[in-house]
C-alpha cells in the first residue's frame, strides 16, 4: 500500500483494519503519531521514499513589523510554543546570553546575572532557567512562575538525581521577551496569542511558520509481531525539558525524561534501518520494559535535545531499588538473598550497529548517544559518537549486564560537563545499598558478596578508539564490577577503575595519560595485564585500600623520564607513532585494530600532543600535597579543580594531622580562603576553620 502526503490517521486506520501482513510505502510529510499495538497480530513493513514524520503544525501568513528587527504575527495556539521554524530556518526561544553560532556548545552567564535579568523583565511568567549542576555532573532546569505579589517562584523540573543546585557561573535564561535581541530568536505571547521573532532581513510576502506540538511520532506498544521500519526521517518534535515528566534512574546520578520521538514499550522483533533522527526536542528512541530482539542499524542521530537511544528497564525488575534523594543516598538492602531479576520488565537483546550520534544533549546535559539502564545484552558496535555534552555511551548500573561495546569511535565528547569519561559507567552494584556505604573503597569484604547479585553476564568494552583532552576515556566509576576491557586505544584520556570487583583490563594502549586506579577494595581480584601507557606517569593510584589484590602483569611504560615500577615496566626505543601504527613487538601484547566507528563517518584528527593534565605536588618529610586534577577530582567528588589534596600525612605533622586532616582529604578552604600549594603550610598554622571533602562529603573542621 502506498501513502503519499496523506493524513497520519488514514495510516493508523489502515493498520487497525488489516488482518494480514502488510507492506506500506510512505511518500511526503506526515504530522502526528503513528500507533502500533497489541491489536495488530501481523507483520508490518514500513518503508519510506523521501518520507518524513514531523511533530509540527504549519501556518502560512504575512507578518508585520513590531520595532527595529522584530516582527510579529498572530498564532491561535493556547499552549506554550518552545520550538519554531520560519521558512525552514530553526529559531530558538529568546535567551540570555545569546547563542553562539560558531560552536553548538552552550554560551553561559553567571547565576547572578540571569537573576538580575529576570528581575528586570516586565512579565517573567513562564520563563525558564537552566544550566549546569553545581558539580558539573549534568544539568538542572527551572520553570519560572509569577507569584501573586509579582515576585518569581522557581519550580525545579527534577532533571537530576543529585540535587537541584545550579553552577554559579553556567546558566541560561530563556523565554523572556526583553531578551529578544538577536537573529533567529522568537518569543510567543501565549495570553495574547502573538508570535514575535527577530530577523535581520525583512520578511516579504507570506512566511511559513512551523511550531512543534508533538513529542511522539511513533508508538509501538505491547507488540510481538515483526515490525520493520526503513528509510524514514523523524524530525522536529517538541521540547521535553519543561513539558515532559522526569523520573530517576536506579541508584544513579541522572534523571530521565519519558518523552521520546519513537517509543518502544513492551514490544519485540523490531528493526530500524537507514533512518534519520534530526532536530528532535526530546529523546530520539526510548526502549522500555520487556522489549527484546530490537535492531537499530545504519541510522543517524543528530541535533537532538536529549539522548539518542535510551534503553530503560523498570525499577521493579530488581530486588533492590534504593536510590538517591537530593544528594542523599537512601540505603537499604531489600531481599539480600535474592539474585538476578525479579521479573522480565527490562529490555534484552538490543543491537545498535553502524550508527552516527552527534550534537545530541543540546539542552539535557545528562544524556548520551546510547544510555543503558536495567537491561540485558545490549550491543553497541561500529558506531561513531562525537560533539556530545557528556558521555558518548553510558551504562547506568550493573543490572543485568552482558553488554558489548565494540569497535566504536568516541571523540569530542564531555564538552560541557565534568568528572567522567567518554564511555561512562557508575556500576552502583547492589552493595551501594549496604548501611556501610562508603565511596573510598572501604568495607570491601562486606561488599564483595553483593557485587554480582544483579548481573547475569559480564560486560565487554573491546576494540574502541577514545580521544579527548582530560578526564577519562573509559571510566568505570562507583563499583562497575565484572568488566572486560580489551584492545582499546585511548588518546589524551585514560582508563579508570574505581571501586568494584573482578575487572580484566588487557592489551589496551593509552597515549598521553596515565592508567587511573582509584579506591581499590580488599580482595578486589582485578587483573591489569599486557597494557601500554605512553606518558610521564604510568599509573595513578589513589586511595588503594589494605588487602587489595590487583594483579599487574606484563604492562609497559614508555617515557623518557620513566623508571620501572612493580606495576609497569619501562621500555625505550618506541614512539607514539610506532604504537599507533602497530609497529612494535612486545611479549604478550598484540597490535590494535585500525577500524573504528560508522563506515564512512568522518574520522577524528589525531593529535599526539593532546595530554591529560597532571596535578602538581609538594613533597616534605611530614606530608605530600598536590593540586587537583581529574583523578583527584573524581576520587573526592569535588565540584571543580580548586583546593589542596592530602596524598600523605604523618601523625607527627602538628599543623595538619593533629588538627584533624587525614590522607585522602581535599582542603577546599582555610578560613574562607582557597589555599594553594605555596601558602598551604602558613595558612594551616593559623587556621580557625578548614572546609574539606572527606569520603565525598563536605565537612568543616573548627579549631577555635
Amino acid at each position: 500500500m502506498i501513502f503519499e502526503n496523506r493524513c497520519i490517521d488514514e495510516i493508523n486506520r489502515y493498520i487497525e483494519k488489516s488482518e494480514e501482513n502488510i507492506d506500506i510505502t510512505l511518500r511526503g510529510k506526515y504530522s502526528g503519531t503513528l500507533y502500533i499495538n497489541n491489536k495488530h497480530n501481523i507483520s508490518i513493513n514500513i518503508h519510506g521514499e523521501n518520507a518524513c514524520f514531523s511533530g509540527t503544525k504549519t501556518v502560512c501568513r504575512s507578518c508585520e513589523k513590531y520595532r527595529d528587527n522584530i516582527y510579529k504575527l498572530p498564532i491561535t495556539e493556547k499552549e506554550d510554543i518552545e520550538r519554531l521554524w520560519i521558512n525552514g530556518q530553526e529559531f530558538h526561544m529568546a535567551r540570555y546570553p545569546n547563542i553562539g553560532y560558531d560552536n553548538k556548545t552552550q554560551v553561559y552567564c553567571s547565576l547572578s546575572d540571569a537573576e538580575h535579568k529576570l528581575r528586570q523583565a516586565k512579565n517573567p511568567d513562564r520563563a525558564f532557567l537552566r544550566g549546569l549542576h553545581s558539580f558539573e555532573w549534568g544539568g538542572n532546569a527551572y520553570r519560572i512562575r509569577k507569584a501573586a505579589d509579582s515576585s518569581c517562584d522557581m519550580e525545579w523540573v527534577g532533571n537530576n538525581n543529585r540535587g537541584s543546585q545550579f553552577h554559579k557561573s553556567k546558566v541560561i535564561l530563556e523565554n523572556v521577551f526583553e531578551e529578544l535581541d538577536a537573529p533567529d530568536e522568537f518569543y510567543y505571547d501565549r495570553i495574547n496569542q502573538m508570535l514575535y521573532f527577530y530577523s535581520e532581513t525583512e520578511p516579504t510576502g507570506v512566511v511559513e511558520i512551523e511550531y512543534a506540538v508533538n513529542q511522539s511520532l511513533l508508538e509501538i506498544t505491547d507488540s510481538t509481531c515483526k515490525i520493520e521500519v526503513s528509510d524514514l526521517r523523524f524530525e522536529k518534535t517538541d521540547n521535553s525539558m519543561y513539558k515532559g515528566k522526569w523520573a530517576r534512574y536506579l541508584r544513579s546520578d541522572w534523571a530521565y525524561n519519558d518523552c521520546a520521538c519513537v517509543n518502544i514499550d513492551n514490544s519485540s522483533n523490531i528493526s530500524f534501518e537507514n533512518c534519520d533522527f534530526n532536530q528532535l526536542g526530546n529523546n530520539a528512541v526510548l526502549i522500555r520494559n520487556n522489549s527484546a530482539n530490537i535492531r537499530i542499524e545504519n541510522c543517524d542521530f543528530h541535533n537532538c535535545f536529549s539522548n539518542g537511544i535510551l534503553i530503560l528497564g523498570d525499577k521493579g525488575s530488581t530486588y533492590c531499588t534504593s536510590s538517591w534523594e537530593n544528594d542523599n543516598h537512601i540505603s537499604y538492602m531489600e531481599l539480600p538473598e535474592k539474585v538476578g531479576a525479579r521479573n522480565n520488565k527490562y529490555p534484552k537483546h538490543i543491537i545498535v550497529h553502524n550508527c552516527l550520534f552527534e550534537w545530541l544533549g543540546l539542552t539535557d546535559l545528562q544524556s548520551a548517544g546510547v544510555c543503558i539502564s536495567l537491561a540485558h545484552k545490549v550491543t553497541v558496535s561500529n558506531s561513531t559518537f562525537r560533539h556530545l555534552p557528556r558521555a558518548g555511551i553510558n551504562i547506568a548500573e550493573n543490572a543485568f549486564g552482558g553488554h558489548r561495546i565494540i569497535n566504536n569511535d568516541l571523540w569530542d565528547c564531555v564538552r560541557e560537563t565534568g568528572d567522567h569519561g567518554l564511555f561512562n559507567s557508575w556500576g552502583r552494584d547492589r552493595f551501594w545499598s549496604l548501611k556501610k556505604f562508603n565511596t573510598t573503597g572501604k568495607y570491601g569484604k562486606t561488599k564483595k558478596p553483593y557485587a554480582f547479585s544483579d548481573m547475569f553476564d559480564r560486560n565487554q568494552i573491546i576494540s574502541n578508539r577514545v580521544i579527548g583532552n582530560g578526564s577519562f576515556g573509559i571510566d568505570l566509576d562507583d563499583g562497575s564490577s565484572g568488566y572486560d576491557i580489551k584492545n582499546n586505544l585511548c588518546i589524551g584520556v585514560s582508563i579508570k577503575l574505581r571501586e568494584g570487583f573482578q575487572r580484566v583490563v588487557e592489551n589496551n594502549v593509552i597515549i598521553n595519560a596515565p592508567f587511573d586506579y582509584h579506591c581499590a577494595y580488599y580482595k578486589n581480584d582485578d587483573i591489569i595485564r599486557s597494557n601500554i601507557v605512553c606518558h610521564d606517569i604510568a599509573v595513578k593510584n589513589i586511595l588503594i585500600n589494605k588487602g587489595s589484590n590487583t594483579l599487574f602483569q606484563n604492562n609497559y611504560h614508555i617515557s623518557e623520564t620513566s623508571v620501572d615500577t612493580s606495576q609497569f615496566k619501562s621500555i625505550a626505543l618506541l614512539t607514539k607513532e610506532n604504537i599507533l601504527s602497530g609497529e612494535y613487538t612486545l611479549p604478550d601484547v598484540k597490535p590494535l585494530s585500525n577500524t573504528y566507528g560508522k563506515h564512512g563517518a568522518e574520522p577524528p584528527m589525531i593529535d599526539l600532543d593532546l595530554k591529560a593534565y597532571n596535578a602538581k605536588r609538594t613533597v616534605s618529610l611530614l606530608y605530600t600535597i598536590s593540586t587537583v586534577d581529574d583523578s583527584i577530582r573524581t576520587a573526592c567528588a569535588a565540584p571543580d579543580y580548586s583546593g589542596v589534596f592530602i596524598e600523605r600525612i604523618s601523625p607527627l605533622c602538628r599543623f595538619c594531622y593533629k588538627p584533624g586532616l587525614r590522607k585522602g582529604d581535599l582542603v577546599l578552604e582555610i578560613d574562607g580562603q582557597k589555599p594553594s600549594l605555596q601558602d598551604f603550610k602558613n595558612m594551616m598554622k593559623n587556621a580557625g576553620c578548614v572546609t574539606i571533602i572527606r569520603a565525598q562529603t563536605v565537612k568543616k573542621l573548627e579549631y577555635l
Side-chain angles (χ1 to χ4, degrees):
M1 181 69 175
I2 297 175
F3 291 87
E4 187 165 1
N5 293 318
R6 305 272 282 276
C7 174
I8 196 74
D9 290 339
E10 292 186 45
I11 306 174
N12 281 323
R13 285 193 293 268
Y14 174 73
I15 295 175
E16 185 75 19
K17 294 178 180 178
S18 298
E19 296 180 356
E20 297 180 352
N21 297 342
I22 56 176
D23 193 303
I24 298 174
T25 298
L26 302 180
R27 297 169 182 164
K29 181 177 178 180
Y30 299 85
S31 296
T33 305
L34 183 65
Y35 295 97
I36 302 174
N37 55 46
N38 60 347
K39 296 179 182 179
H40 315 123
N41 190 23
I42 55 175
S43 173
I44 302 174
N45 186 343
I46 302 174
H47 173 76
E49 293 181 357
N50 195 25
C52 170
F53 278 63
S54 174
T56 62
K57 283 185 180 180
T58 303
V59 296
C60 297
R61 58 189 55 162
S62 299
C63 61
E64 62 178 283
K65 192 166 188 175
Y66 174 69
R67 67 164 187 254
D68 301 325
N69 291 321
I70 300 176
Y71 300 85
K72 68 176 185 178
L73 55 84
I75 292 183
T76 55
E77 184 64 46
K78 295 181 180 180
E79 299 297 326
D80 290 326
I81 295 176
E82 298 179 18
R83 304 203 67 210
L84 182 83
W85 294 261
I86 301 178
N87 292 334
Q89 172 67 38
E90 183 175 8
F91 280 58
H92 51 269
M93 289 184 289
R95 54 169 279 171
Y96 177 81
N98 293 327
I99 198 168
Y101 282 92
D102 58 339
N103 193 318
K104 292 186 180 181
T105 300
Q106 304 292 331
V107 179
Y108 295 105
C109 67
S110 69
L111 179 58
S112 60
D113 283 350
E115 290 174 335
H116 176 69
K117 289 283 187 180
L118 194 57
R119 287 192 296 269
Q120 287 184 322
K122 291 182 179 179
N123 183 17
D125 190 43
R126 311 187 85 82
F128 306 120
L129 194 61
R130 63 180 175 89
L132 259 69
H133 179 272
S134 56
F135 279 52
E136 296 185 347
W137 291 330
N140 268 317
Y142 287 82
R143 304 179 188 93
I144 309 300
R145 295 291 182 262
K146 188 175 181 180
D149 60 357
S150 295
S151 64
C152 290
D153 291 331
M154 294 178 59
E155 178 192 3
W156 181 42
V157 303
N159 59 320
N160 197 292
N161 206 5
R162 293 295 297 273
S164 58
Q165 302 87 356
F166 267 136
H167 196 289
K168 292 183 179 179
S169 61
K170 294 184 178 180
V171 299
I172 296 166
L173 179 64
E174 293 182 306
N175 208 34
V176 175
F177 181 73
E178 284 80 1
E179 300 309 318
L180 185 58
D181 59 0
D184 301 339
E185 288 189 342
F186 78 90
Y187 176 82
Y188 180 62
D189 182 346
R190 181 180 60 86
I191 303 301
N192 297 301
Q193 298 184 323
M194 185 66 68
L195 174 69
Y196 299 85
F197 64 94
Y198 189 107
S199 176
E200 290 184 318
T201 59
E202 182 173 0
T204 58
V206 174
V207 295
E208 181 184 76
I209 307 291
E210 290 180 89
Y211 58 94
V213 293
N214 278 22
Q215 293 278 358
S216 176
L217 302 181
L218 175 58
E219 297 272 353
I220 303 175
T221 308
D222 298 329
S223 172
T224 57
C225 63
K226 184 178 180 181
I227 300 172
E228 297 179 350
V229 180
S230 61
D231 300 292
L232 283 175
R233 297 198 318 274
F234 297 88
E235 65 179 28
K236 299 179 180 177
T237 53
D238 203 3
N239 181 9
S240 65
M241 176 66 74
Y242 307 107
K243 294 178 179 177
K245 178 183 177 183
W246 291 89
R248 292 168 180 171
Y249 292 96
L250 177 72
R251 287 195 292 276
S252 73
D253 286 354
W254 293 10
Y256 66 89
N257 196 297
D258 63 357
C259 294
C261 171
V262 173
N263 285 282
I264 301 172
D265 191 354
N266 197 37
S267 298
S268 306
N269 306 318
I270 302 166
S271 68
F272 287 81
E273 187 167 2
N274 297 323
C275 291
D276 187 83
F277 299 84
N278 189 21
Q279 299 187 77
L280 303 176
N282 49 1
N283 300 295
V285 177
L286 173 56
I287 302 172
R288 298 198 65 174
N289 295 320
N290 184 19
S291 294
N293 301 321
I294 296 169
R295 186 177 185 94
I296 300 173
E297 186 171 8
N298 304 323
C299 294
D300 289 348
F301 299 79
H302 37 199
N303 301 305
C304 301
F305 280 15
S306 194
N307 296 283
I309 302 173
L310 174 55
I311 302 168
L312 180 63
D314 184 86
K315 284 185 182 180
S317 63
T318 66
Y319 285 108
C320 182
T321 58
S322 64
S323 61
W324 292 89
E325 181 70 38
N326 288 332
D327 210 19
N328 295 311
H329 186 239
I330 304 172
S331 294
Y332 55 90
M333 180 73 80
E334 303 171 82
L335 302 173
E337 73 283 0
K338 297 287 188 178
V339 298
R342 188 193 291 255
N343 56 48
N344 65 357
K345 294 181 180 179
Y346 57 91
K348 49 195 76 71
H349 303 291
I350 313 295
I351 295 175
V352 178
H353 179 73
N354 202 46
C355 293
L356 171 65
F357 301 86
E358 61 177 356
W359 299 118
L360 308 178
L362 298 182
T363 62
D364 177 11
L365 302 182
Q366 281 174 304
S367 57
V370 176
C371 184
I372 304 165
S373 177
L374 292 170
H376 184 222
K377 289 193 174 179
V378 176
T379 296
V380 182
S381 59
N382 296 89
S383 294
T384 294
F385 299 82
R386 63 192 185 198
H387 316 320
L388 304 176
R390 201 181 186 281
I393 303 171
N394 185 85
I395 297 178
E397 69 290 300
N398 267 347
F400 297 96
H403 309 311
R404 300 181 74 241
I405 312 300
I406 182 169
N407 290 117
N408 299 289
D409 214 352
L410 298 95
W411 53 280
D412 194 33
C413 301
V414 197
R415 292 166 57 92
E416 300 186 56
T417 58
D419 190 16
H420 46 258
L422 291 83
F423 169 88
N424 188 75
S425 69
W426 50 62
R428 304 286 164 88
D429 312 299
R430 196 187 295 186
F431 57 70
W432 269 57
S433 299
L434 291 169
K435 290 183 178 180
K436 285 189 174 182
F437 169 75
N438 180 275
T439 59
T440 58
K442 294 183 179 180
Y443 312 115
K445 186 176 182 179
T446 304
K447 295 175 179 179
K448 189 173 183 178
Y450 303 102
F452 296 91
S453 295
D454 299 311
M455 289 190 76
F456 294 127
D457 301 285
R458 296 175 63 84
N459 295 321
Q460 297 180 324
I461 305 175
I462 299 175
S463 299
N464 302 279
R465 178 169 59 183
V466 188
I467 300 177
N469 60 345
S471 197
F472 312 103
I474 299 174
D475 182 2
L476 270 62
D477 205 9
D478 294 347
S480 297
S481 299
Y483 273 78
D484 296 322
I485 305 174
K486 300 181 179 181
N487 309 329
N488 299 282
L489 171 63
C490 296
I491 302 176
V493 287
S494 70
I495 296 174
K496 183 190 102 182
L497 302 185
R498 178 195 173 97
E499 303 170 298
F501 298 91
Q502 297 181 23
R503 282 78 57 93
V504 177
V505 183
E506 184 175 27
N507 208 79
N508 302 281
V509 173
I510 303 173
I511 296 177
N512 295 342
F515 181 81
D516 274 284
Y517 198 53
H518 305 170
C519 309
Y521 284 130
Y522 168 84
K523 290 193 176 180
N524 53 298
D525 297 332
D526 288 336
I527 298 173
I528 318 295
R529 66 187 173 205
S530 303
N531 300 284
I532 300 175
V533 170
C534 305
H535 188 62
D536 293 341
I537 300 171
V539 57
K540 296 196 75 170
N541 295 308
I542 298 178
L543 300 175
I544 305 302
N545 286 273
K546 185 178 180 180
S548 62
N549 62 341
T550 304
L551 172 65
F552 284 87
Q553 186 180 59
N554 299 326
N555 296 292
Y556 297 93
H557 182 204
I558 301 172
S559 172
E560 295 178 359
T561 61
S562 66
V563 294
D564 285 359
T565 70
S566 61
Q567 297 166 320
F568 282 76
K569 179 179 176 58
S570 176
I571 59 174
L573 305 177
L574 271 180
T575 66
K576 299 170 186 175
E577 288 79 7
N578 293 144
I579 297 298
L580 277 177
S581 62
E583 298 174 359
Y584 59 88
T585 301
L586 293 172
D588 303 312
V589 180
K590 300 177 182 178
L592 303 181
S593 165
N594 59 2
T595 302
Y596 306 98
K598 180 177 180 178
H599 178 71
E602 174 191 6
M605 295 290 292
I606 304 298
D607 182 1
L608 291 181
D609 293 324
L610 204 63
K611 290 186 177 181
Y613 167 73
N614 289 314
K616 297 178 181 178
R617 307 168 77 210
T618 295
V619 181
S620 74
L621 290 175
L622 297 178
Y623 61 82
T624 300
I625 58 177
S626 72
T627 58
V628 179
D629 59 13
D630 284 298
S631 300
I632 295 169
R633 183 184 180 186
T634 190
C636 299
D640 51 35
Y641 297 95
S642 63
V644 171
F645 181 67
I646 311 297
E647 288 190 19
R648 175 184 62 86
I649 187 170
S650 167
L652 300 177
C653 185
R654 293 183 178 180
F655 63 88
C656 285
Y657 191 89
K658 289 190 175 181
L661 290 183
R662 295 294 182 266
K663 176 183 176 181
D665 287 347
L666 174 60
V667 180
L668 298 178
E669 292 183 352
I670 303 174
D671 293 329
Q673 301 296 315
K674 293 183 181 297
S676 65
L677 292 183
Q678 293 75 21
D679 59 20
F680 176 75
K681 181 176 180 179
N682 288 333
M683 292 178 71
M684 279 300 303
K685 283 182 177 180
N686 301 304
C689 178
V690 179
T691 302
I692 65 171
I693 294 179
R694 177 179 293 166
Q696 298 194 352
T697 302
V698 177
K699 299 178 179 292
K700 287 186 181 292
L701 305 178
E702 301 280 355
Y703 302 148
L704 296 178

